[in-house]
């Protein structure tokens, strides 16, 4: 369904979450942390990890249109090349590395959003096992900040 004018927007609900907030087994915070896209499904489906849900391209299209956004960034999926566009043309970018793994060979990416709203990922080579988990945490923190900035800009 398209968001109704009288309902709170998803962005407003996110902004109203008290911080710090524990991640329960179900609910908004759980979905924000663990929901992920699935290129093979339409609509919603169970998440194979057992937490939250997976969603398809149609769900993202409705969300972006309903919230007047043209871009979506997520970082839950491990991407060894640093970033990927799972739904070409939809403005969805995924970037993330496996932080609970001993394999630190994945590239990292930072997304630069220019004044003209063009987007360009910058890739970083792995630093090896000693720096791998620290770099992954820094990239995740930066992506969270970039995502928050994009949501606020869309408002």
């Amino acid at each position: 369904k398209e968001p109704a004018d009288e309902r709170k927007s998803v962005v407003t609900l996110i902004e109203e979450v008290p911080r710090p907030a524990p991640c329960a087994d179900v609910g908004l915070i759980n979905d924000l942390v663990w929901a992920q896209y699935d290129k093979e499904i339409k609509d919603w489906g169970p998440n194979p990890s057992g937490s939250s849900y997976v969603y398809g391209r149609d769900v993202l299209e409705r969300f972006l249109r309903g919230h007047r956004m043209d871009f979506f960034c997520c970082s839950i999926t491990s991407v060894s090349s640093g970033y990927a566009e799972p739904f070409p043309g939809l403005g969805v970018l995924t970037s993330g590395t496996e932080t609970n793994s001993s394999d630190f060979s994945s590239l990292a990416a930072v997304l630069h959003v220019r004044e003209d709203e063009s987007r360009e990922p910058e890739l970083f080579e792995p630093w090896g096992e000693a720096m791998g988990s620290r770099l992954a945490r820094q990239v995740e923190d930066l992506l969270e900040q970039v995502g928050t900035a994009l949501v606020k800009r869309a408002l």
Side-chain angles (χ1 to χ4, degrees):
K1 294 180 177 180
E2 299 297 327
D5 289 340
E6 64 274 2
R7 294 170 127 193
K8 288 184 178 180
S9 74
V10 171
V11 175
T12 301
L13 289 172
I14 293 168
E15 289 174 340
E16 290 178 351
V17 171
R19 288 161 178 85
C23 186
D25 292 338
V26 295
L28 176 64
I29 295 173
N30 179 276
D31 291 339
L32 290 171
V33 172
W34 297 113
Q36 62 190 68
Y37 65 85
D38 184 332
K39 297 188 293 188
E40 307 299 319
I41 71 160
K42 183 177 167 110
D43 208 34
W44 295 91
N47 192 329
S49 73
S51 185
S52 191
Y53 299 92
V54 294
Y55 48 86
R57 180 183 180 108
D58 56 327
V59 171
L60 283 171
E61 286 174 337
R62 288 192 310 266
F63 177 84
L64 292 171
R65 186 176 53 246
H67 293 283
R68 298 185 314 265
M69 296 178 170
D70 61 359
F71 185 72
F72 178 82
C73 183
C74 62
S75 62
I76 188 170
T77 305
S78 177
V79 182
S80 62
S81 62
Y83 77 100
E85 292 186 72
F87 302 111
L90 189 55
V92 177
L93 181 88
T94 184
S95 176
T97 57
E98 203 56 60
T99 57
N100 54 356
S101 167
S102 61
D103 176 17
F104 297 103
S105 61
S106 295
L107 295 174
V110 173
L111 183 66
H112 297 278
V113 180
R114 311 267 185 247
E115 287 292 324
D116 66 359
E117 298 184 15
S118 64
R119 300 175 290 270
E120 180 182 344
E122 179 180 2
L123 298 176
F124 297 91
E125 295 290 329
W127 289 2
E129 192 168 321
M131 295 295 288
S133 62
R134 191 169 100 199
L135 175 62
R137 282 191 300 275
Q138 290 172 341
V139 168
E140 287 175 353
D141 290 345
L142 184 57
L143 285 171
E144 182 177 307
Q145 293 169 13
V146 168
T148 301
L150 288 172
V151 167
K152 287 182 179 178
R153 182 179 176 133
L155 295 175

